[in-house]
Amino acid sequence: MTACAIEPAAANDDNEDGQTPRTERAIAENGNENGKTPRTECVITVDGSYAARLAQDGGSWFPERWTLDGPEPYAVPLPGNQPEEPGTEVQPMGDGRVLIRRFADGRHNFSLLYPTGPTTGELPLGAVECPEEGAVLRLLPPAPCGEKAYALAVGPRSSAVWLVAGGAFGPEHLAEIPGRCSGGVWLDGTGRMLALDRESGGRTKAVVVDLERGGEVSPLLQIADGSDDRLLLADPDSGLLLISSDAPSPGRARLGWGVLGSTFPVRFPECLRVPDCTVTPFAIQPGQVLTPECCGVALRIDGPMGGWVGVWRPAARQVQHLPGPEGWLAGSGLWTETGELLLPYATADAPCGVARWAAAPRSGALTGEAEGPGGTGAGDAGPEDPEGGGGRAARSPEPGPPEPVVARPVPLQQAPLGNLVTK
């Protein structure tokens, strides 16, 4: 994989896989029961100031930036000289510009877009080539600092982390990791420690890549020798980790939680299992220092009857199920430190809106005009509750009988969570 010199972005005459923004490559496997994570339709900066998405008007796709930190949210269209391809990626930067990744002529071209009166300004950043057959490249989640952006290029035998915005000159190759990687979760507030799910030897394990030490790789999760263990989400403030593993149920991934730096094992609450549905965590409440069990976690739940939102806290031992707002940009949202869940939506009457769900402090219960039905569920399977609970997860539609609960949590074994200290 090589970087090209900075030059104007080429026209998007072709797309690498012809996907629409609502689909996701299989390489973005994230440990849900179907092996894939539903694609997020809107990307939000870590501080919640801006968001970006591909919007559509008359069948033509164009980037759109949302400003979220003002009195009312508003959107600014950023169309180029021609419509964008459906598979184009966009990501908001902390200064309000929008990073765009276009694919053309075998190269991934990066530019920064910004409004300039009636037109769109564009600053080309350069390109990355992935000449290997079967190689793919995608943007990683927004960096905590908001000043830089990263991409993951995955080849047949190795994966590379690129700095594609915020560097001294053009895209910079930062790390080469043996094996095919997916996922991408930031473990600290500076953008140094990046967790990736690496496939090697037929198994997938989460590893940590230190971007300030030449891409030094160390193991993060190894719940069982023969299990697939992925990291879905992390909160640097509290250390709360949302994990997917098939260790407690071989052949079927389950959601669990742990704490970065803790000696306690990962737990797999029965209430996070919703029959016939895919449950994907997409936001964790920040600012809960030393109290990870009190963090609110927002869940996207997709099933045969549609999708909705779940809210859960480790201490609550239950999931509250509620309908998402009309036009919800599914899989996107943000928690405030005070416990308010923000869900962006777009409809014909409200092309840029944010629904707000207020939660009581230290509680999983939400209040507000859009409040959904409460849920009940079984507790964790842990040392003080070795048998787990006997209840079943609340859901819509009517749930079926619960599956057997693992007798006790699976220990982390070799996961050096306590050694991840940023110096």
Side-chain angles (χ1 to χ4, degrees):
M1 283 164 275
T2 57
C4 300
I6 298 176
E7 56 183 278
N12 293 324
D13 296 329
D14 193 16
N15 183 49
E16 75 251 48
D17 54 14
Q19 292 176 326
T20 68
R22 300 189 182 207
T23 62
E24 181 66 60
R25 275 190 171 277
I27 195 169
E29 288 183 351
N30 221 344
N32 291 320
E33 289 192 9
N34 61 0
K36 300 179 184 179
T37 295
R39 178 140 182 175
T40 301
E41 298 184 38
C42 181
V43 182
I44 307 175
T45 57
V46 174
D47 66 0
S49 297
Y50 296 99
R53 69 173 186 132
L54 272 191
Q56 192 176 29
D57 182 18
S60 298
W61 297 97
F62 62 91
E64 188 176 73
R65 185 198 72 189
W66 289 27
T67 300
L68 304 176
D69 60 352
E72 294 290 338
Y74 66 91
V76 176
L78 297 171
N81 296 326
Q82 65 182 43
E84 304 293 346
E85 292 292 332
T88 300
E89 286 187 294
V90 294
Q91 185 174 116
M93 304 295 292
D95 59 5
R97 294 183 293 180
V98 173
L99 175 69
I100 186 168
R101 178 193 67 84
R102 302 181 177 108
F103 183 80
D105 300 326
R107 293 182 297 181
H108 300 268
N109 301 281
F110 299 92
S111 296
L112 288 173
L113 308 179
Y114 52 92
T116 57
T119 61
T120 300
E122 181 167 341
L123 175 63
L125 299 177
V128 174
E129 286 185 343
C130 297
E132 297 93 344
E133 183 178 356
V136 295
L137 182 145
R138 62 177 177 83
L139 293 176
L140 287 167
C145 64
E147 300 174 354
K148 299 180 179 181
Y150 299 84
L152 179 68
V154 183
R157 293 169 297 277
S158 66
S159 304
V161 177
W162 289 82
L163 174 65
V164 296
F169 55 91
E172 299 178 22
H173 181 272
L174 299 181
E176 192 79 20
I177 303 105
R180 296 179 62 87
C181 294
S182 59
V185 177
W186 296 103
L187 296 178
D188 63 346
T190 64
R192 171 180 173 177
M193 309 300 284
L194 173 67
L196 295 172
D197 302 324
R198 181 173 65 176
E199 181 184 350
S200 180
R203 294 298 176 188
T204 300
K205 303 288 184 182
V207 298
V208 179
V209 181
D210 190 336
L211 298 182
E212 290 189 7
R213 291 188 176 180
E216 180 180 277
V217 179
S218 58
L220 175 64
L221 290 175
Q222 184 167 323
I223 298 178
D225 292 336
S227 61
D228 291 321
D229 309 318
R230 297 175 172 90
L231 181 63
L232 307 184
L233 215 56
D235 174 57
D237 293 336
S238 63
L240 179 63
L241 306 178
L242 271 297
I243 294 162
S244 170
S245 176
D246 61 357
S249 303
R252 173 171 294 183
R254 288 186 56 178
L255 285 179
W257 69 280
V259 179
L260 195 66
S262 172
T263 58
F264 288 100
V266 172
R267 299 187 180 189
F268 298 89
E270 181 67 13
C271 64
L272 294 181
R273 306 176 72 180
V274 183
D276 302 322
C277 293
T278 299
V279 181
T280 309
F282 64 88
I284 299 179
Q285 181 183 356
Q288 310 304 299
V289 180
L290 301 180
T291 56
E293 69 280 356
C294 296
C295 289
V297 178
L299 309 168
R300 173 181 176 177
I301 306 175
D302 296 281
M305 304 299 292
W308 64 95
V309 180
V311 175
W312 169 77
R313 295 178 191 267
R317 297 194 175 191
Q318 63 180 11
V319 174
Q320 183 183 10
H321 298 260
L322 59 149
E326 181 184 358
W328 178 39
L329 303 179
S332 57
L334 186 77
W335 282 98
T336 67
E337 291 188 11
T338 56
E340 192 174 39
L341 178 60
L342 312 182
L343 300 175
Y345 66 91
T347 64
D349 296 330
C352 177
V354 175
R356 298 175 177 268
W357 306 81
R362 310 286 183 179
S363 168
L366 297 180
T367 60
E369 59 181 9
E371 183 177 356
T376 59
D380 298 344
E384 66 281 311
D385 183 17
E387 298 302 324
R392 62 181 67 182
R395 57 162 295 189
S396 176
E398 187 69 20
E403 299 185 22
V405 182
V406 62
R408 56 180 302 165
V410 183
L412 284 172
Q413 288 192 355
Q414 301 175 13
L417 298 179
N419 297 328
L420 286 176
V421 179
T422 302
K423 299 180 180 179

